[in-house]
Amino acid sequence: MEQLEKTKNLKHFLTMTDLTGDDIHELIDDAILMKQQVKDGVPHPHLQGKTLGMIFEKSSTRTRVSFEVGMLQLGGHALFLSSQDIQLGRGETVSDTSQVLSRYVDGLMIRTFAHATVEEFAASSSVPVINGLTDPHHPTQVLADLMTIYETKGKLAGLKMSYIGDGNNNMTHSLLEGAALVGMDMAVSSPKGFEPDESIFQAAKAIGLETGANITFHKKPEDAVHQADVIVTDVWASMGEEDELETRKQFFKPFQINQKITEYAKNDYLFLHCLPAHRGEEVTAEIIDGKHSRVFDEAENRLHAQKALLKKLLKN
């Protein structure tokens, strides 16, 4: 495998692998700077006069508000476009919609189901396209996660992150890619039948060989959490899978993040969850509301990590 390039010429942001480790650190540094500027009341209108179109086929709290407020703080404007409010809802092709919107706005953010949809948008778009979430990938959330870890631990490379729960979801996949790119070990533990996508897992392992990240899978959550610096989980049934929750509970109950499982981690571990969370299911209240939890810092960092991304993509 060829040595990973230090930076990429970023046109679109569809998965974490559109970045390099150096790109991620550059975005985190810029995000931390702009976060401090907000606290200090220092304006940073890097995108004065720019407009972001935001297409939502999946509902959202953090994605919509963070992108909208982010564009405002950057001096630009964001347009909320429900799929039912534009011609996509009446059968216009993705390609036609992308080509039309590209002539009106400076960038597009899409939150949808099929990853092929954002890929088609990007292929037809003359402006940058950002994946706000698809079924297999959630890269904007993982940028915020890595920023949160870096703020607290002061580094990323050499740390160990453990993901416990549904391995075949967008958070696991994007975390695998992000961890591998920055040289962070990642251990995943999921019930049988809910393992990460094999191609994504193997690709992350291959990246890890270049960056020094050890990417592993464990049948027992205790093995995955052993000496972890960061523990991450997500809901047991993602958006669109809610009707499977009662069935899934019987498989996922041993994978709950609780006091007993966290005793295998380092004493100063961090707990992360992309939210919304279901207390008493994937995580107990004492953990998510306890001293190790950084879930609200993580949610806040969606705003600043995405501002750094928007600046990088739209400024020029």
Side-chain angles (χ1 to χ4, degrees), residues 162-182:
S162 298
Y163 179 92
I164 310 299
D166 185 2
N168 191 24
N169 79 352
N170 47 32
M171 280 304 302
T172 320
H173 295 154
S174 290
L175 283 167
L176 281 165
E177 294 173 339
L181 286 164
V182 299

Side-chain angles (χ1 to χ4, degrees), residues 55-306:
I55 300 172
F56 285 87
E57 292 190 306
K58 280 190 175 185
S59 59
S60 166
T61 299
R62 281 153 289 277
T63 298
R64 178 178 177 179
V65 175
S66 58
F67 270 107
E68 208 161 312
V69 173
M71 282 299 291
L72 179 64
Q73 291 184 359
L74 289 168
H77 183 71
L79 297 170
F80 173 78
L81 304 168
S82 163
S83 60
Q84 297 306 308
D85 295 333
I86 58 178
Q87 296 301 326
L88 272 178
R90 298 181 59 222
E92 183 175 51
T93 67
V94 169
S95 176
D96 286 355
T97 301
S98 177
Q99 290 184 70
V100 169
L101 291 177
S102 295
R103 301 195 177 207
Y104 296 150
V105 299
D106 300 290
L108 289 163
M109 187 281 297
I110 309 166
R111 184 178 169 95
T112 187
F113 296 88
H115 193 70
T117 301
V118 297
E119 292 179 326
E120 189 174 353
F121 256 98
S124 302
S125 176
S126 58
V127 299
V129 173
I130 297 171
N131 176 9
L133 175 143
T134 56
D135 286 345
H137 294 281
H138 198 358
T140 55
Q141 176 66 55
V142 169
L143 273 181
D145 292 359
L146 294 176
M147 175 183 172
T148 307
I149 297 166
Y150 184 81
E151 279 185 313
T152 309
K153 297 292 188 180
K155 65 176 184 176
L156 295 173
L159 297 178
K160 178 182 177 180
M161 173 162 54
S162 298
Y163 179 92
I164 310 299
D166 185 2
N168 191 24
N169 79 352
N170 47 32
M171 280 304 302
T172 320
H173 295 154
S174 290
L175 283 167
L176 281 165
E177 294 173 339
L181 286 164
V182 299
M184 181 188 297
D185 293 346
M186 182 165 172
V188 179
S189 183
S190 306
K192 186 175 182 180
F194 297 93
E195 299 90 348
D197 178 274
E198 185 65 14
S199 62
I200 294 174
F201 185 80
Q202 292 301 328
K205 285 190 72 171
I207 294 171
L209 291 175
E210 291 291 300
T211 63
N214 189 25
I215 307 297
T216 57
F217 181 85
H218 304 267
K219 293 181 180 179
K220 295 181 179 180
E222 296 87 350
D223 294 338
V225 173
H226 180 69
Q227 288 296 292
D229 297 285
V230 185
I231 301 175
V232 190
T233 193
D234 196 2
V235 293
W236 289 344
S238 297
M239 197 177 300
E241 300 171 339
E242 290 85 355
D243 59 343
E244 302 176 16
L245 178 58
E246 291 307 312
T247 302
R248 285 178 174 233
K249 282 181 179 180
Q250 61 183 313
F251 298 106
F252 281 90
K253 189 174 181 181
F255 294 81
Q256 182 188 70
I257 304 301
N258 51 41
Q259 185 62 41
K260 182 178 179 181
I261 191 69
T262 60
E263 289 174 359
Y264 291 89
K266 291 183 179 177
N267 292 333
D268 61 347
Y269 79 91
L270 305 182
F271 173 75
L272 299 179
H273 190 308
C274 64
L275 303 179
H278 297 156
R279 289 165 173 80
E281 289 181 11
E282 73 272 12
V283 61
T284 59
E286 67 178 334
I287 298 300
I288 193 170
D289 298 322
K291 65 179 183 178
H292 295 278
S293 178
R294 296 293 184 276
V295 297
F296 296 112
D297 294 331
E298 179 186 6
E300 178 186 0
N301 284 341
R302 285 290 301 275
L303 170 63
H304 306 293
Q306 287 164 187

